[in-house]
Amino acid sequence: MDASPLDLVFEPRLHGETVQQWVFRRLRRSIMSGRFPPGQAVTIRGLAEALGVSAMPVREALRRLVAERALVLLDNRRVRVPEMTARRFEELVTARTLLECEAAARAMAIADAPFRRRLVALNRASDAAVEANDTEAMIETNLAFHAALYGGRPDNVLMPLIESVWLQIGPFMRMALADLERYYPVDRHAEALAALEAKDEAALRRAIEADIRDGIGHLLEKLT
């Protein structure tokens, strides 16, 4: 039995989606949004029970997530989030910064008024989540804002790479939010929106870099 049941992200099964695809998508999103606590091992059986499915689609989903380095396989059909070292964390933050600054800069070409209005709405939802001290909503709205900014083009190459980094760093998001007021005094999303409207690529890159640094970069101190 698992030590404690996981609170998985609710993701309704899409029309035409197989059970295997749905299980993978839901587990992947749960890891990305920090629902898998660092160090906690979970079993195939426990996940299958939580999802209401057989072990087979869970086993296949976990195989893919291990390949993406989101999880590590242990003995007795258990998995857990990989241990985080200071060096690995620093590399992940650097990868986030490089990839996301470039993705944001490339989004400027399609950042018309409707595109920016969507981002403004998502940022308002994020602000409301912070005001309500709703951790789950803070994580989800932050992911939604960044995904909307970077993933606007159907032929986007950078977004899958960015999501791969989010998978590896996601389990530590709750630790970062514990000190949000101390380390995130400036609304970097608002700075990014202002830069988009002004078509100022340099300012946009600075805003995204600062957003990552202020949002999660400070955790490096706890790993050294």
Side-chain angles (χ1 to χ4, degrees):
M1 297 292 291
D2 296 338
S4 59
L6 289 174
D7 180 21
L8 300 176
V9 169
F10 176 72
E11 290 278 359
R13 188 174 166 187
L14 304 176
H15 178 71
E17 189 175 36
T18 67
V19 172
Q20 184 172 307
Q21 290 169 333
W22 173 69
V23 167
F24 173 72
R25 184 168 60 84
R26 191 171 175 190
L27 290 178
R28 194 173 191 266
R29 186 68 179 186
S30 294
I31 295 170
M32 198 177 293
S33 60
R35 302 294 183 100
F36 279 59
Q40 179 180 334
V42 295
T43 63
I44 293 175
R45 179 180 177 182
L47 289 172
E49 290 176 353
L51 291 163
V53 299
S54 69
M56 185 176 297
V58 173
R59 188 179 295 110
E60 175 58 23
L62 294 179
R63 183 190 66 78
R64 294 172 64 184
L65 290 166
V66 167
E68 288 194 75
R69 304 183 71 181
L71 298 171
V72 292
L73 184 64
L74 306 175
D75 58 348
N76 299 324
R77 300 181 179 180
R78 297 178 304 154
V79 295
R80 66 166 170 77
V81 171
E83 292 184 6
M84 185 63 73
T85 64
R87 180 175 178 176
R88 180 166 177 259
F89 186 82
E90 188 275 331
E91 288 184 359
L92 286 169
V93 172
T94 298
R96 271 201 67 181
T97 303
L98 292 171
L99 290 168
E100 294 184 40
C101 286
E102 183 63 24
R106 289 171 182 263
M108 293 195 74
I110 59 170
D112 56 11
F115 183 93
R116 296 196 304 274
R117 282 197 296 269
R118 183 185 177 199
L119 290 175
V120 167
L122 288 169
N123 193 43
R124 285 174 180 164
S126 182
D127 289 343
V130 172
E131 185 69 24
N133 197 29
D134 186 335
T135 300
E136 306 304 334
M138 280 190 274
I139 292 172
E140 289 298 329
T141 54
N142 182 63
L143 286 173
F145 178 89
H146 286 270
L149 174 57
Y150 311 144
R153 296 190 348 264
D155 61 342
N156 192 302
V157 173
L158 293 176
M159 195 63 210
L161 300 176
I162 290 169
E163 287 187 344
S164 176
V165 178
W166 287 354
L167 267 177
Q168 297 178 67
I169 213 166
F172 299 86
M173 287 301 299
R174 277 165 175 70
M175 292 172 59
L177 290 176
D179 296 320
L180 187 66
E181 291 185 1
R182 176 184 175 188
Y183 291 102
Y184 201 93
V186 178
D187 187 345
R188 303 300 186 181
H189 289 181
E191 290 185 343
L193 289 169
L196 275 176
E197 187 167 7
K199 300 186 183 303
D200 187 337
E201 180 181 327
L204 179 58
R205 287 179 179 270
R206 287 195 299 270
I208 296 301
E209 181 177 1
D211 180 64
I212 296 168
R213 181 191 63 237
D214 296 352
I216 199 169
H218 62 273
L219 289 184
L220 185 61
E221 299 173 5
K222 299 181 179 181
L223 295 169
T224 54

